Amino acid sequence: GGMLSAASLFGSSASGVNAAGAELARRVADLEQRLAKASEERKVDTGAWEYARALVLRYADDPAERAQLVPALGMCLKLSEEEKGRLASAAAAEGGAASSLLRRFF
């Protein structure tokens, strides 16, 4: 009586052990694939975050450009129509819309 095999320890046949190994390999491959996808999504999210950050800083730094930045900010930050309206109203109140209007005609 030598060593115990995995099959005798777990009450399964050698083919059952092979099937379990194949299932484990499939699960590992699936997890690796999901991890790669999550990593790619994180890169996209990071890029979107950097873009939104740049837009917000431009909005803060350039009152004349604020009205033009509202649509991009709305899309990037997924603002509701009401929130975009509030942002546009704030930009117009500070003269951003007036200078935008002037640029359109002159």
Side-chain angles (χ1 to χ4, degrees):
M3 298 168 95
L4 294 174
S5 70
S8 64
L9 279 175
F10 298 109
S12 59
S13 66
S15 64
V17 171
N18 288 340
E23 174 64 14
L24 182 60
R26 187 194 64 74
R27 286 184 181 182
V28 168
D30 181 53
L31 288 172
E32 287 174 340
Q33 188 176 28
R34 289 170 50 194
L35 180 62
K37 182 180 177 187
S39 181
E40 284 300 312
E41 288 171 352
R42 193 187 76 218
K43 286 179 189 174
V44 170
D45 288 344
T46 300
W49 170 252
E50 289 299 320
Y51 179 65
R53 183 175 177 266
L55 287 174
V56 168
L57 292 173
R58 280 179 60 190
Y59 186 91
D61 291 342
D62 190 357
E65 196 176 15
R66 287 180 182 161
Q68 295 170 347
L69 292 172
V70 170
L73 282 166
M75 178 193 69
C76 199
L77 300 174
K78 298 179 177 143
L79 299 178
S80 69
E81 288 302 316
E82 188 264 336
E83 290 166 329
K84 285 187 272 187
R86 288 173 52 195
L87 204 55
S89 294
E94 296 177 18
S99 61
S100 174
L101 190 62
L102 288 173
R103 276 198 298 269
R104 188 178 302 158
F105 289 107
F106 297 104

